[in-house]
Amino acid sequence: MTSLLNPPATSATASRSTRILGLLLIVGFALLLYLAFVATPPEQTQGDSYRILYLHVPSVTVAYLGCLLTTVGSLMVLWKGSDWWDVTALAAARVAAAFTAVVLVSGSIWGRATWGVYWVWDARLTSTAMLMVLLLGYLALRRLPADPPAQSRRAAVLGLLIIPNVILVHYSVTWWRSVHQGSTITRPDAQIDNLMLFTLFYGFLVFGVFFVWLMIHGFRIAWLERQVEAVGLEHAIAERRAEAGVVAPGAVG
Amino acid sequence: MFRDAAIIAGKDLRLEARSRVVISQVAPFALLVLVLFAFALDPDSGALSRAASGLFWVAVLFSGVLAIQRSVAVEGADGNRDALRLTGLDPGGIFVGKAVAVALELLVLEVVLGAGVAILYNATEDGVNSPSSVGLLICAALLATAGIAAASSIYGAIAAGLRVRETLLPLLLLPVLAPVLIGATRAFEAALDGKAGEGWPWVAWLALFAIIYAAVGLATFGSLLEES
């Protein structure tokens, strides 16, 4: 039980390889900051405010990756009853929720600078906000104490539905209205500075590695949480047994 | 499966016929929501009759959440969930039965609310007189109700048996029903404006939503009923 209260170094979530990955990330982010704020020129019409997109766009990608992993994990839980995937789905949903929040906040700030308002009722903004609510609902369910197998199945059905829900919400609001700036990179006549383009793709790379790093730690944390719950339950049962052992003779006598 | 569905739907509707919770509590609540909208939006400015379709569906969703809570609560009492599992009924049939009972209760609520909106919000436009508009209203209402009932039966089962069900269920369910709110509102607006043609694509959308959730419910309800 002492290991529960004072975890030894072996139960830390970092390992040699994740420490190296973490150091690489610090260097990677420093270079990204230099590229995003110093090396790249201001944009023609938006000036400096466009620089927030170096944070915004890779964050969207990470948020979507997290959602995808949550749905895939939930599918595997329902299909195979896999514990590993259950923990992965939870860890991925946490990462996805955090990055969806970053996307909404950075997008609002950019919108204030560019459109003059923090929020417009555009399809992508609205469906991203709904995605945030769906993820918060999923995480709210996962916070509840319950028997692990039943809890996993409930959460898996909920997690499985996150992507279909977002798709349905997205199409309904797109049909409802849309004024969001179209995709710039995929247009054939894209007018984008080479260094800007490099910075953007380099941002994808750094955030991708960051996602992997967060997932490894997130998985280990969620796994340890589960162990603590199991150990805590055993501990509580042992305590009750010990109490019963003391009390029982008196009760009988 | 359909026989099992009929048994479950019959049970839930019989419970409702004897307890009258939806009619005596949820329907008055729905009308109360309509009155509260009138307090919030100035009735003289015409905002109420312009927004009548949207307000109608928001009132349906809010009172629908209460109907679902009720549908889940009747299984929670006295270990009914265990009894339901032990009956050996097909899980798909249980899902369809619960959804059909909820859908019929919602349709009653919609009739009450529809009359309320027409009278209180002065929303009876000329367009509704044409047969195509009436057909659009009925089809949109039926399919939206089917979608709401299917989705809410799934989410009701996810939240069933949890102590925080009352607060968790609306958080899980209402974002999922957003596409129904949008589709049903646009279809109703088209019908009330006398432009029924614009409303039919939304009816198809509502049908798609209902089919998807019915399929998901049939596929997953077995895992949701199972406990450790």
Side-chain angles (χ1 to χ4, degrees), chain B residues 149-172:
Chain B
S152 55
S153 297
I154 300 171
Y155 284 88
I158 290 175
L162 299 173
R163 258 173 298 171
V164 292
R165 191 193 69 229
E166 286 84 356
T167 42
L168 182 66
L169 184 56
L171 171 64
L172 298 184

Side-chain angles (χ1 to χ4, degrees), chain A residues 78 130 133-134 136-138 140-141 144-145 147 149-150 153-154 157-158 160-161 165 168-169 171-173 175-176, chain B residues 155 157-160 162 164 168 171-172 175-176 178-179 182 186 201-202 205 209 212-213 216 220 223-224 226-228:
Chain A
L78 287 177
M130 297 301 276
V133 181
L134 289 168
L136 290 178
Y138 177 81
L141 180 70
L144 300 176
D147 307 330
R153 271 194 302 272
R154 285 173 202 271
V157 174
L158 195 62
L160 181 69
L161 284 168
N165 279 330
L168 284 171
V169 167
Y171 277 101
S172 60
V173 289
W175 205 352
W176 178 42
Chain B
Y155 284 88
I158 290 175
L162 299 173
V164 292
L168 182 66
L171 171 64
L172 298 184
V176 173
I182 293 173
R186 298 303 124 170
W202 287 109
W205 172 253
F209 185 94
I212 289 174
Y213 276 91
V216 170
T220 59
S223 336
L224 286 175
E226 245 177 80
E227 292 287 321
S228 54

Side-chain angles (χ1 to χ4, degrees), chain B residues 1-227:
Chain B
M1 185 189 92
F2 289 105
R3 196 185 60 88
D4 295 354
I7 293 171
I8 294 292
K11 168 190 78 80
D12 276 13
L13 291 172
R14 212 156 37 242
L15 271 173
E16 171 52 26
R18 289 175 188 166
S19 66
R20 303 227 167 90
V21 169
V22 171
I23 281 297
S24 67
Q25 293 176 21
V26 181
F29 168 78
L31 290 175
L32 177 64
V33 172
L34 290 187
V35 176
L36 292 179
F37 281 143
F39 292 156
L41 305 167
D42 181 9
D44 295 331
S45 69
L48 274 180
S49 62
R50 273 203 309 281
S53 309
L55 297 180
F56 170 82
W57 282 106
V58 171
V60 168
L61 287 193
F62 284 166
S63 38
V65 168
L66 295 184
I68 298 306
Q69 300 273 27
R70 169 77 187 151
S71 165
V72 178
V74 296
E75 305 300 350
D78 305 325
N80 277 353
R81 274 166 70 77
D82 296 327
L84 197 63
R85 272 203 305 282
L86 291 173
T87 54
L89 295 176
D90 178 40
I94 296 176
F95 164 71
V96 174
K98 297 294 284 182
V100 166
V102 167
L104 291 174
E105 289 169 11
L106 280 174
L107 284 174
V108 173
L109 282 175
E110 283 164 25
V111 171
V112 173
L113 276 170
V117 166
I119 295 164
L120 296 174
Y121 295 178
N122 228 347
T124 43
E125 310 284 332
D126 307 329
V128 188
N129 296 330
S130 76
S132 61
S133 289
V134 175
L136 177 63
L137 282 178
I138 292 173
C139 287
L142 286 176
L143 288 167
T145 307
I148 295 171
S152 55
S153 297
I154 300 171
Y155 284 88
I158 290 175
L162 299 173
R163 258 173 298 171
V164 292
R165 191 193 69 229
E166 286 84 356
T167 42
L168 182 66
L169 184 56
L171 171 64
L172 298 184
L173 182 59
L174 290 174
V176 173
L177 294 180
V180 179
L181 176 63
I182 293 173
T185 303
R186 298 303 124 170
F188 267 42
E189 275 175 356
L192 292 179
D193 290 347
K195 296 171 191 157
E198 290 174 15
W200 288 107
W202 287 109
V203 171
W205 172 253
L206 293 170
L208 180 72
F209 185 94
I211 291 168
I212 289 174
Y213 276 91
V216 170
L218 285 173
T220 59
F221 217 67
S223 336
L224 286 175
L225 279 179
E226 245 177 80
E227 292 287 321

Side-chain angles (χ1 to χ4, degrees), chain A residues 126-137:
Chain A
T126 313
S127 46
T128 307
M130 297 301 276
L131 172 64
M132 185 77 215
V133 181
L134 289 168
L135 287 167
L136 290 178

